[in-house]
Amino acid sequence: MQDQATPTAPRRFAALVMIYAIALVACDENVPQGAAENLGGNPRHGAALINQFGCGACHTIPGVAGAGGLVGPPLTGIAQRVYLAGVLRNSPENMSAWLQDPQQFVPGNAMPRMDISPSDARDLTAFLYTLR
Ligand code: HEC
């Protein structure tokens, strides 16, 4: 009886490792679902819009050629920032709202209203949320 119990131990251990791995993958899937929720925007189009609107003139943006501006804060890791401009809780909705009208939230700050459409704001937000 003892002889039979011994060979099953490694198999049991392997099964535990598998369960642990599956649990890890499951958790991993849950975290980005909430955090990367981007209102259905298209991050690739968002990256193109960064160039179109000239955000890089004022912001340093990792992965965007020529985006080395120092007027506003660097957008490095912006997806993980807790507040936008120190006043707005960082969420996809608030990010879109900020991009469409930064003057509404911090009157007089250097980021202008650029007449960004809601759809373009969603795409920009989707791109910005890739910056972790
Ligand atoms: C003329 C300069 C200028 C331009 C152009 C500009 N910004 Fe800004 N941006 C700023 C400044 C200045 C702030 C800081 C505002 C504050 O904190 O009151 C800011 C803040 C931000 C923030 C919040 C950053 C943080 O750390 O909280 C985001 C996100 C942002 N800008 C994205 C963009 C995007 C995307 C574009 C292009 C569509 C853009 N900005 C264009 C100047 C600019």
Side-chain angles (χ1 to χ4, degrees), residues 33-73:
Q33 262 169 23
E37 147 75 76
N38 59 31
L39 300 171
N42 176 338
R44 235 183 253 173
H45 185 230
L49 290 171
I50 292 275
N51 289 317
Q52 189 181 311
F53 285 110
C55 316
C58 290
H59 293 284
T60 296
I61 310 171
V64 177
L70 295 172
V71 178

Side-chain angles (χ1 to χ4, degrees), residues 25-40 92 129 132:
V25 169
C27 286
D28 210 37
E29 271 172 6
N30 286 337
V31 172
Q33 262 169 23
E37 147 75 76
N38 59 31
L39 300 171
Y129 272 47
R132 322 206 115 253

Side-chain angles (χ1 to χ4, degrees), residues 114-128:
M114 288 168 277
D115 287 324
I116 297 175
S117 71
S119 148
D120 281 353
R122 273 196 295 274
D123 291 348
L124 282 163
T125 298
F127 168 73
L128 292 171

